[in-house]
Amino acid sequence: MDDGIDNCGVMIYQSMSGDANEGAGAFSATNSSLSISKKSKVYETSPMFFITNTDAVINLDNTNLNYGSNQPVTVSGNDGEWGSQGSNGGNLTFTAANQTLSGNISVDNISTTSFILKSSTLISAINSENSAKEVNLSLDSSSKWIVTEDSYVTTLTLENNDLSLIEDHGYTIYYNASANSWLNGQTITLSNGGTLTPIQ
């Protein structure tokens, strides 16, 4: 693949070579540590998790992640090495419990991602280039999203509709109005001067 992205920490994919059944790939880790070696030439450029050409499920619980790229998750198609280029994106469901996830989350226009946070902190820009087919984010009451750039989400689910679970730092979060009826299509000023506003 281009740019060495295949040298990520964990890659979930469907090779289409006949050596694996079609379906969802899965990765789980609990009370552990996962690292891309600092000696690797791609330590600072490749994501911790890369999903392409498959459905995938990732479950992390109290697992320390060590990567230097500022890219915890990338979900995207590839150059045609796996599947047909243009239709070989990924579909990821990522559940984080007792985690801190830091860095930008990248999803391309043929891929989807749903993040479910439980007692976790996400320090991130989500879909900052508005490139994703779909990105969904759900936080329970003991989780926090610390926003680091303008972000775009399809659905935003906050337990008890509690906007204080977002630390906006003055950034704008764009949301799909038709998929978030609880927001009534409003533009809402958040606690640090950023806004939650419908995608136009």
Side-chain angles (χ1 to χ4, degrees):
M1 291 185 60
D2 296 337
D3 302 323
I5 200 167
D6 52 331
N7 293 305
C8 54
V10 174
M11 180 176 179
I12 303 176
Y13 72 108
Q14 167 56 253
S15 68
M16 309 303 290
S17 64
D19 60 351
N21 294 326
E22 292 187 23
F27 179 88
S28 296
T30 301
N31 298 329
S32 57
S33 182
L34 188 64
S35 300
I36 298 176
S37 172
K38 290 185 178 180
K39 295 180 180 179
S40 168
K41 63 181 181 180
V42 298
Y43 172 76
E44 295 184 352
T45 58
S46 290
M48 186 73 253
F49 296 98
F50 176 53
I51 290 82
T52 188
N53 196 41
T54 193
D55 296 337
V57 176
I58 294 173
N59 295 297
L60 297 183
D61 188 345
N62 192 37
T63 293
N64 180 60
L65 302 178
N66 181 17
Y67 51 94
S69 65
N70 198 40
Q71 300 174 60
V73 178
T74 295
V75 187
S76 74
N78 61 79
D79 60 9
E81 186 170 354
W82 302 289
S84 299
Q85 189 170 7
S87 60
N88 56 6
N91 300 295
L92 170 65
T93 299
F94 191 115
T95 301
N98 306 299
Q99 291 288 144
T100 297
L101 297 172
S102 180
N104 296 334
I105 293 168
S106 177
V107 184
D108 74 1
N109 64 1
I110 56 173
S111 300
T112 69
T113 302
S114 294
F115 283 91
I116 302 163
L117 303 185
K118 302 176 180 180
S119 301
S120 294
T121 298
L122 178 65
I123 308 167
S124 178
I126 298 176
N127 187 30
S128 61
E129 297 181 356
N130 192 23
S131 59
K133 180 178 179 181
E134 182 178 313
V135 178
N136 306 302
L137 177 64
S138 176
L139 284 75
D140 73 358
S141 60
S142 56
S143 293
K144 184 77 70 175
W145 178 20
I146 301 173
V147 186
T148 58
E149 291 181 47
D150 291 353
S151 297
Y152 293 79
V153 296
T154 308
T155 63
L156 178 64
T157 303
L158 306 174
E159 188 168 355
N160 300 319
N161 296 340
D162 183 0
L163 292 171
S164 71
L165 302 179
I166 300 172
E167 291 186 12
D168 61 278
H169 291 275
Y171 294 108
T172 299
I173 300 166
Y174 297 91
Y175 69 90
N176 184 313
S178 65
N180 295 274
S181 59
W182 68 280
L183 291 168
N184 296 314
Q186 300 176 88
T187 293
I188 299 170
T189 300
L190 299 171
S191 59
N192 298 122
T195 57
L196 185 60
T197 191
I199 299 170
Q200 300 300 320

